[in-house]
Amino acid sequence: MKTQESNLHLIHAAYQAFHARDVDALLAVLSEDVEWIHPQGMNVYGLGGTKVGHAGVKEFLAHVPTVLGGMRLHPMEFVQSGERVVVFGVRDVTSHSGHTESLDFVHSWTMREGRAVRMEDIFDTVLFHRLIES
């Protein structure tokens, strides 16, 4: 399989793992020293900044339910250039109060040697804050 096809297949597998809530399957796509990056504007909820490695990703994922009632990702478009895969999508986010909204996201994945070495989540933090506080 060509590298670009393989990278795209791996990113699709990552979203399938998210959907199934299968952390081990997600980690299988990530390098041991992956950088998992979220906007600094989410620091107030403990969700901003860069987490490093599988332990950092697991810690981040374990923390999300303390802030949100639920989240479902809907990747819609995959754009690939070299070792970069950019995903445009919508996430349905539910606050602890039960209010759900659909929020756009862009995920920028950097691949190297068959693993994701970087994932950056880009989204409107103001809208996300409003939802969390609703």
Side-chain angles (χ1 to χ4, degrees), residues 4-99:
Q4 287 193 346
E5 290 174 5
S6 177
N7 286 344
L8 200 53
H9 176 75
L10 288 167
I11 298 305
H12 279 279
Y15 287 102
Q16 290 169 352
F18 276 121
H19 184 73
R21 301 196 187 307
D22 186 342
V23 174
D24 290 333
L26 173 62
L27 294 178
V29 175
L30 308 178
S31 73
E32 292 289 328
D33 60 348
V34 66
E35 294 178 318
W36 191 261
I37 304 165
H38 291 266
Q40 292 294 335
M42 296 304 289
N43 278 349
V44 67
Y45 303 107
L47 298 175
T50 302
K51 311 302 185 235
V52 178
H54 287 187
V57 171
K58 287 195 279 189
E59 179 183 312
F60 175 85
L61 294 174
H63 183 66
V64 170
T66 69
V67 177
L68 299 172
M71 182 171 18
R72 283 298 216 203
L73 299 176
H74 306 284
M76 299 167 74
E77 182 180 356
F78 295 76
V79 179
Q80 185 166 346
S81 178
E83 294 186 326
R84 175 78 48 99
V85 178
V86 178
V87 181
F88 297 88
V90 173
R91 68 177 118 220
D92 295 327
V93 183
T94 303
S95 68
H96 281 302
S97 70
H99 179 77

